[in-house]
Amino acid sequence: MIEVEGLRVVYRDVISVLHGVSVSLEDGQITTLLGANGAGKTTLLRTLSGVLHIYDGDVLEGSVRIDGQDVTRLNPVTIARKFGIVYIVEERTVFPQLNVMENLKCAASSRRDREVNRDVGRVFELFPALTKRLSGKAGYMSGGEQQMLSIGNALMTRPKILLLDEPSLGLAPILVREMFKVIERINKEDAISMFLIEQNAAAAMKVAHKGYVMENGRVVLEGTRRELESNEDIKEFYLGSGSGEKKDYRQAKRYKRRKRWLG
Ligand SMILES: Nc1ncnc2c1ncn2[C@@H]1O[C@H](COP(=O)(O)OP(=O)(O)OP(=O)(O)O)[C@@H](O)[C@H]1O
Ligand SMILES: [Mg+2]
């Protein structure tokens, strides 16, 4: 459904961040993208959603195609309207001055159908914690509650594809588990495809159909969930359950990655 091919992206004409990235997302699936800080994960989402230029970024080469159409340089509003793509940024954007209900209604304000209330009900069903915070301003809610609400706001636009940038960031472990359960439910029950950016590899891989690992602006590994889960490097460096001795972690990491992934 989304095909990214050979994407090269720079910021401010000089800072080269993506060096030829190719990924593909299938309809109905959760695809995860793992990678350390600065790998270029967020940059890829900015490119897919069309907001890259707001950050002074440019696509030098390569393309993004959605359902066969080239959208590489389309504006974000067109991408969202035409293809139902919603990008939930890392910074958890809610309307801080509005309460929960106002947030959800506001997010649905461009809709003309009569099912807005039903969808509000669906958001509360997925995130019951939000029903306890109906009166206060969203800006005063906890990080976890704001994350739930930002996903709720996204759902109110009836998206086809959600781009999620580290939804588990900063959440307590119990909330992380809850969050991924809900992500899986939204995918299955509401038939929404997802591109899930995560540093929490263990949690992301439990719900994803397939995944990519990115390092320094390149995809260094890709595979189905099963392939990734059984990969020794993934086990060792992302799942913390490898069998090898870890004497000099950094050196071993560099060496093994080069050897196995970059050939
Ligand atoms: N607007 C910008 N201008 C210049 N450089 C930028 C800009 N945004 C990001 N970068 C740089 O691009 C590189 C990739 O950043 P990006 O945010 O895409 O990585 P990331 O994988 O999402 O990292 P993190 O896990 O920390 O969120 C980093 O070196 C970052 O400093
Ligand atoms: Mg990021």
Side-chain angles (χ1 to χ4, degrees):
M1 169 180 46
I2 298 186
E3 290 282 344
V4 174
E5 227 181 274
L7 213 55
R8 277 187 58 214
V9 168
V10 295
Y11 287 111
R12 289 183 249 160
D13 294 329
V14 286
I15 306 165
S16 187
V17 173
L18 301 184
H19 312 283
V21 169
S22 300
V23 300
S24 70
L25 277 67
E26 312 294 332
D27 211 355
Q29 290 197 349
I30 299 179
T31 306
T32 187
L33 176 66
L34 312 173
N37 290 117
K41 306 180 298 295
T42 296
T43 301
L44 181 56
L45 290 195
R46 287 175 182 163
T47 312
L48 290 182
S49 58
V51 300
L52 185 66
H53 66 278
I54 296 170
Y55 298 88
D56 218 354
D58 260 313
V59 176
L60 292 189
E61 263 178 44
S63 65
V64 179
R65 303 179 82 80
I66 306 177
D67 297 337
Q69 288 188 54
D70 193 335
V71 304
T72 319
R73 284 167 189 84
L74 280 187
N75 71 65
V77 176
T78 309
I79 293 179
R81 286 232 174 100
K82 207 163 164 191
F83 302 99
I85 290 190
V86 175
Y87 172 25
I88 302 179
V89 297
E90 216 175 303
E91 296 81 11
R92 290 170 195 163
T93 41
V94 295
F95 303 105
Q97 300 295 331
L98 305 182
N99 66 32
V100 166
M101 190 64 87
E102 290 162 346
N103 260 271
L104 297 172
K105 291 271 167 86
C106 201
S109 58
S110 68
R111 283 173 52 179
R112 296 279 167 266
D113 60 278
R114 292 165 182 274
E115 293 182 346
V116 171
N117 284 335
R118 207 195 71 179
D119 290 355
V120 168
R122 173 64 177 157
V123 171
F124 289 146
E125 184 185 305
L126 290 165
F127 299 111
L130 291 180
T131 57
K132 300 194 185 98
R133 301 298 307 256
L134 285 180
S135 54
K137 286 183 181 176
Y140 296 135
M141 301 196 310
S142 72
E145 288 163 345
Q146 291 194 28
Q147 182 65 286
M148 294 174 204
L149 185 55
S150 64
I151 295 177
N153 281 346
L155 292 177
M156 291 307 295
T157 68
R158 295 225 161 158
K160 276 171 67 183
I161 306 163
L162 281 185
L163 310 177
L164 289 155
D165 201 343
E166 302 201 38
S168 75
L169 193 73
L171 301 187
I174 183 154
L175 276 185
V176 172
R177 242 169 291 142
E178 278 304 307
M179 181 61 76
F180 281 98
K181 267 191 214 152
V182 174
I183 285 172
E184 200 172 26
R185 277 185 71 189
I186 295 171
N187 169 250
K188 285 199 180 123
E189 297 168 16
D190 304 78
I192 296 173
S193 315
M194 302 194 189
F195 196 26
L196 175 61
I197 306 299
E198 263 301 330
Q199 292 202 35
N200 189 337
M205 231 124 72
K206 269 197 202 119
V207 300
H209 299 89
K210 67 169 183 173
Y212 294 86
V213 179
M214 208 158 117
E215 267 187 24
N216 300 319
R218 289 189 171 82
V219 170
V220 292
L221 188 66
E222 63 177 277
T224 60
R225 165 171 43 187
R226 197 165 292 175
E227 284 163 354
L228 292 181
E229 274 173 347
S230 59
N231 180 287
E232 284 302 320
D233 283 335
I234 294 269
K235 277 197 222 165
E236 194 162 346
F237 304 122
Y238 287 91
L239 302 178
S241 60
S243 52
E245 280 184 47
K246 292 181 204 163
K247 278 181 189 149
D248 186 338
Y249 177 79
R250 294 196 125 205
Q251 233 175 358
K253 185 169 161 174
R254 291 267 151 69
Y255 172 68
K256 285 197 170 174
R257 281 197 178 150
R258 227 172 248 149
K259 194 171 139 204
R260 291 207 188 118
W261 294 355
L262 303 176

